[in-house]
Amino acid sequence: ELHGEIISGLEVLAGLENALFQPLVEASFSIVLKHVDESVLEGGDFQSVDALQLKQAYAASVGVILEGGKRNADPILMRGVLSDYLKDGYRVDFFVEQYTIHKRELIAILSTTGFNFPHIVDVNWRLTFHMKSQSIEKENKPVYLLRFDTKTPGKTPLNANQSNNNESVEFACNGWELLDLVQKLKDAAKQFDRVTSQ
C-alpha cells in the first residue's frame, strides 16, 4: 500500500514527457544508491520542469524504490503496483528493469542503514603527570587519558581496506572529572537496572 503523497507524485511522474521520465528514474536510483547526490536534479534536462512537479515526481520515484527494497519486492509485484499509476507499459517496463538491475545493491544499502548508537567494546586508560616547569616550583598534576573503542552495529566499512567498523573516542580529564564520569555511569547503570527490573 502506497502513501497518498507517493500516489500523487506517481501521477506527476506519469505526466512527464518521455525525454524526462527515463533520466529522472535513473537519477532517482543513482541518488538512492549514493552514486550521485541530489544536485544532479538541478541541471541538464530537469531545468525545463517546474520545480514543484520535479520534487513530487522525484519523491514518488524514490518512495517506490525504497518501499520496493524494504519489502524485497519481486519485479512482478513492482510491475503490478506501477501499472496502476504509470499506465504506460514502456514506463512501467523501464522502471521495473531499473529496479531489477539495482535490487541487490538497494537491499544491501537498506540492510546497513540504521540509526544505532555506537556500542563501547573496550576501554583503555593511562595515567600521566602534567609538570609545570615555568617556575622553580614544579607542579605535578595527574591527567587521565581515556580511550573508548566503539562499534556501530550495521555500519559498513568506508572502504575495502577498512576491516571493521570500530572507532575510538579519546579524551583527557583530571581526577575530579574522572570521578564525576564514574558517578554518572553508576547512576545510569542504576537507572537501567530499575527500568529492566519492572
Side-chain angles (χ1 to χ4, degrees):
E1 187 68 28
L2 294 176
H3 190 273
E5 290 180 11
I6 293 177
I7 292 171
S8 62
L10 284 174
E11 292 168 357
V12 173
L13 185 63
L16 289 179
E17 299 173 14
N18 284 333
L20 293 173
F21 176 82
Q22 185 173 342
L24 182 58
V25 171
E26 288 173 341
S28 299
F29 274 99
S30 294
I31 291 167
V32 168
L33 298 174
K34 301 177 183 175
H35 296 166
V36 297
D37 62 12
E38 289 183 341
S39 65
V40 74
L41 298 174
E42 296 171 1
D45 299 330
F46 303 118
Q47 289 179 338
S48 63
V49 183
D50 177 61
L52 180 60
Q53 287 184 331
L54 180 63
K55 285 182 182 182
Q56 286 178 315
Y58 166 68
S61 180
V62 167
V64 169
I65 292 166
L66 294 175
E67 196 64 31
K70 181 175 95 174
R71 297 179 186 274
N72 195 13
D74 63 358
I76 296 170
L77 178 62
M78 291 294 287
R79 185 177 309 281
V81 169
L82 289 170
S83 63
D84 290 342
Y85 304 106
L86 295 182
K87 309 293 186 211
D88 183 359
Y90 165 76
R91 292 180 177 208
V92 172
D93 290 343
F94 181 76
F95 201 108
V96 171
E97 177 185 333
Q98 291 298 305
Y99 174 77
T100 304
I101 290 169
H102 300 294
K103 181 180 177 184
R104 179 176 290 164
E105 187 179 3
L106 174 64
I107 291 173
I109 286 175
L110 290 176
S111 68
T112 60
T113 302
F115 302 101
N116 298 317
F117 289 109
H119 297 273
I120 296 175
V121 293
D122 193 17
V123 177
N124 292 303
W125 63 275
R126 185 175 78 214
L127 176 61
T128 61
F129 284 93
H130 179 260
M131 302 173 86
K132 187 175 183 181
S133 61
Q134 297 265 339
S135 65
I136 298 173
E137 297 177 26
K138 291 189 176 181
E139 180 181 341
N140 290 333
K141 286 186 176 179
V143 175
Y144 294 91
L145 301 174
L146 298 167
R147 185 179 81 219
F148 293 113
D149 294 327
T150 63
K151 183 173 187 174
T152 305
K155 183 177 178 184
T156 56
L158 296 175
N159 58 47
N161 297 331
Q162 189 178 355
S163 61
N164 57 35
N165 54 1
N166 292 350
E167 296 177 9
S168 294
V169 177
E170 298 180 15
F171 60 94
C173 61
N174 63 31
W176 294 110
E177 293 168 333
L178 182 61
L179 289 173
D180 187 45
L181 174 65
V182 169
Q183 185 59 45
K184 287 179 181 178
L185 291 172
K186 286 180 180 178
D187 291 345
K190 286 178 188 175
Q191 185 65 27
F192 178 78
D193 287 341
R194 276 189 224 127
V195 169
T196 57
S197 66
Q198 293 178 353

